[in-house]
Amino acid sequence: MRTLESQSREIGGVKYIVTPLTTRAALRVMCRVLKIAAPAFGDVAALRDAAAAAGGAIGTLLSGLVSDLDDAALVEVCEAFAEVCEADLGGAKTLPMRNRQWEEHFRGRLFDLFEWVVFCGEVTFGPLLARLQAKAPEPAAAPAAG
Amino acid sequence: MIVRVPGRLCWPVHRVATSGHYPDGLAVIEERWTLAMVVDACDVCDAIDEARAEAIKRAGEG
């Protein structure tokens, strides 16, 4: 199993270390952000369309969150990203954001919260978008003998 | 052969899980893989399937 590559970014003086969401969690977030009732991704092309839409939504999340996402959806997205994020507060250990730690951590720091959500979205959907937007390579595998 | 997959399923995930090319099953893929990894794996599955189909076609012609 490949190790998931984490990315880090400093937001509001705190360094956040984020790994991509798992497939199941990413699909759930995409459905929530895109308001899709079911993961109707019949093939990679449909996934490409959905990822492009999700990427756009995440890119404009700061404005989109307030107008497009209801409170429950926003909380659900935050909880999903909290599962894959730890904060480096400069101590010996990092602070996991899961188990609702993110709520206390971002108290009074709403703008930092939005920036954190956008960053988490970039970590998961950025590489996905890059792959989906890349031209599909021609099959390089030679026909099997026999 | 035509395989009809229910629309409620995320086919790329099931495609990789049922391909036999990877040791991980559906649960592991959903819980450990990222969507980007699934998309990469789908491309590999497509390439292998096309190569196999071409090989079968050539064998039939020969």
Side-chain angles (χ1 to χ4, degrees), chain A residues 1-2 4 20-24 26-27 30 39-44 47 125 127-128 131-132 139 141-144, chain B residues 7-13 24 28-40 42 47 50-51 54-55 58:
Chain A
M1 172 55 60
R2 287 160 54 183
L4 299 182
L21 291 175
T22 64
T23 295
R24 179 178 294 171
L27 287 171
M30 286 173 75
F41 307 126
D43 52 27
V44 171
L47 196 60
F125 298 107
L128 175 65
R131 281 167 172 77
L132 290 172
Chain B
R8 61 188 168 76
L9 299 178
C10 183
W11 169 237
V13 178
D24 293 338
V28 173
I29 292 171
E30 286 185 331
E31 293 297 334
R32 301 264 183 89
W33 290 37
T34 67
L35 271 177
M37 292 161 67
V38 169
V39 169
D40 281 347
C42 271
E50 287 183 34
E54 182 64 24
R58 288 187 183 182

Side-chain angles (χ1 to χ4, degrees), chain B:
Chain B
M1 182 174 73
I2 296 174
V3 178
R4 291 187 170 81
V5 179
R8 61 188 168 76
L9 299 178
C10 183
W11 169 237
V13 178
H14 288 263
R15 164 109 168 80
V16 175
T18 59
S19 69
H21 302 314
Y22 294 89
D24 293 338
L26 181 63
V28 173
I29 292 171
E30 286 185 331
E31 293 297 334
R32 301 264 183 89
W33 290 37
T34 67
L35 271 177
M37 292 161 67
V38 169
V39 169
D40 281 347
C42 271
D43 286 343
V44 171
C45 290
D46 287 345
I48 292 173
D49 284 354
E50 287 183 34
R52 278 185 176 162
E54 182 64 24
I56 290 171
K57 183 181 174 186
R58 288 187 183 182
E61 290 172 349

Side-chain angles (χ1 to χ4, degrees), chain A residues 9-137:
Chain A
R9 179 178 294 176
E10 187 171 317
I11 299 170
V14 177
K15 180 181 175 185
Y16 296 95
I17 304 158
V18 176
T19 54
L21 291 175
T22 64
T23 295
R24 179 178 294 171
L27 287 171
R28 192 176 299 133
V29 167
M30 286 173 75
C31 290
R32 261 314 210 169
V33 172
L34 298 172
K35 295 182 171 57
I36 297 173
F41 307 126
D43 52 27
V44 171
L47 196 60
R48 178 181 293 114
D49 293 342
I58 287 166
T60 58
L61 204 55
L62 280 178
S63 57
L65 277 174
V66 178
S67 57
D68 292 343
L69 291 183
D70 56 55
D71 291 350
L74 176 57
V75 168
E76 195 170 317
V77 169
C78 287
E79 288 180 342
F81 286 142
E83 288 293 321
V84 293
C85 177
E86 296 186 355
D88 184 351
L89 301 171
K93 293 183 178 179
T94 54
L95 177 67
M97 290 289 100
R98 66 177 68 92
N99 296 329
R100 308 189 73 167
Q101 180 65 45
W102 66 275
E103 289 186 13
E104 183 61 28
H105 179 76
F106 285 108
R107 183 192 292 240
R109 300 170 54 215
L110 200 57
F111 188 82
D112 290 345
L113 170 68
F114 288 163
E115 196 172 336
W116 170 73
V117 170
V118 171
F119 172 52
C120 291
E122 289 173 357
V123 171
T124 287
F125 298 107
L128 175 65
L129 274 175
R131 281 167 172 77
L132 290 172
Q133 289 170 350
K135 185 178 183 297

